[in-house]
Amino acid sequence: RAAIDRALDGGMNFGAHKQMEGKLAALVSARIPSIELVRFTNSGTEANLMALATACAVTGRKQVLVFKGGYHGGVFYFAGNGSAINAPYDFVMANYNDIDGTLAAIEAHAKTLAAIILEPMMGNGGCIPATREFLAALRQAATRHGIILIFDEVMTSRLSPGGLQGVHGIAPDLTTLGKYIGGGMSVGAFGGRRDIMGRFDPRRPDAFPHAGTFNNNILTMSAGVAALSQVYTADAARELNARGDRLRERLNQVARKAGARLQFTGIGSMLQTHFHDKPIRSPDDAAKGSQELRELFFFDLLAHGVWSARRGMINLSLPVTEADCDALVAAVAEFVDSRRSLIKG
């Protein structure tokens, strides 16, 4: 709040580069080493649009490999049959965590694929983590065929100081970010290898343009610097995600003890409720869970004073205390007990 007040007092927006933009860029690059250069946008959707447009322009190719059930913003929706308003790229579809099938798709389109884009853990798709083996296979195939590998870490970069790519030790060519890095203000970012992002250097005769009056708006830049340097520090990220891991294990213990057809997937501070007791490695697996029970779960939790996303997603934020986690565990235990006949495995 203080950072935003100072920005307002200093002149809201001058439509040019400013000091706070450089400071936030340095903080982002320090957190995620694969981001050698970064550019800001107004949303995660916009960041993904720019990343894919950059990949196509750099490679001279037009196809993009995406994953069934994936979500990369308002014009990149790949659940079911996708969306009529998806951005008009030539998409190739593969199944998440399916190494053999995905590699076959890459080989079949190797000369025409500009990019592979995925979340290292599907967020809206059900908090489904990618295996390290899957990500490593994509990295190797992309390198072999000159395809640009994009990690959409708009959500998952919150899961460690260096995002999930830091956890796995696998560097993409480009990364997209959003949400918390703007300290609560509208924000997105795309960045990565210097040789790719350097194409936006306006001193180059062949520079790519990147317009947008509010890309680097002073309110977001100021709030973002405060967020990454003072609020969501590396230590705070580690502490919050450890709390999320403990909570998810407690919730799964409640389900296991009751023999319930219920599990909580995710990593760190991101959790998803699934009324399904088999392993969940893809959106197809997640779709086998009961939507009716998920609806009932939402309203039962609401009756206990606990709000979650209606689709079953639960994200911890910094103000959430251990007492809040205890209340959630108690509410889930009450749900499991009172609805035993409906959710028995």
Side-chain angles (χ1 to χ4, degrees), residues 31-32 153 155-169 177 180 228 232-242 267-270:
R31 286 281 188 101
I32 304 179
E153 292 227 47
M155 292 188 186
T156 61
S157 57
R158 78 196 321 255
L159 299 178
S160 88
L164 278 189
Q165 61 189 266
V167 171
H168 291 298
L177 304 171
Y180 73 92
L228 290 188
Y232 202 57
T233 62
D235 286 343
R238 283 187 280 265
E239 181 180 345
L240 177 65
N241 288 292
I267 297 173
S269 57
M270 294 174 61

Side-chain angles (χ1 to χ4, degrees), residues 257-332:
K257 184 177 179 181
R261 183 163 42 98
L262 170 64
Q263 64 177 292
F264 296 83
T265 62
I267 297 173
S269 57
M270 294 174 61
L271 302 85
Q272 176 78 28
T273 309
H274 298 277
F275 286 93
H276 183 51
D277 55 4
K278 299 296 188 296
I280 297 175
R281 290 169 49 88
S282 71
D284 282 344
D285 294 335
K288 297 172 184 174
S290 169
Q291 180 59 37
E292 291 79 8
L293 286 173
R294 186 181 292 172
E295 290 277 312
L296 183 62
F297 181 74
F298 169 79
F299 285 110
D300 274 21
L301 286 191
L302 206 57
H304 284 81
V306 177
W307 187 88
S308 63
R310 193 161 179 168
R311 65 180 180 271
M313 193 176 192
I314 300 170
N315 295 322
L316 302 189
S317 57
L318 291 175
V320 173
T321 65
E322 289 295 342
D324 294 323
C325 292
D326 292 342
L328 174 59
V329 172
V332 171

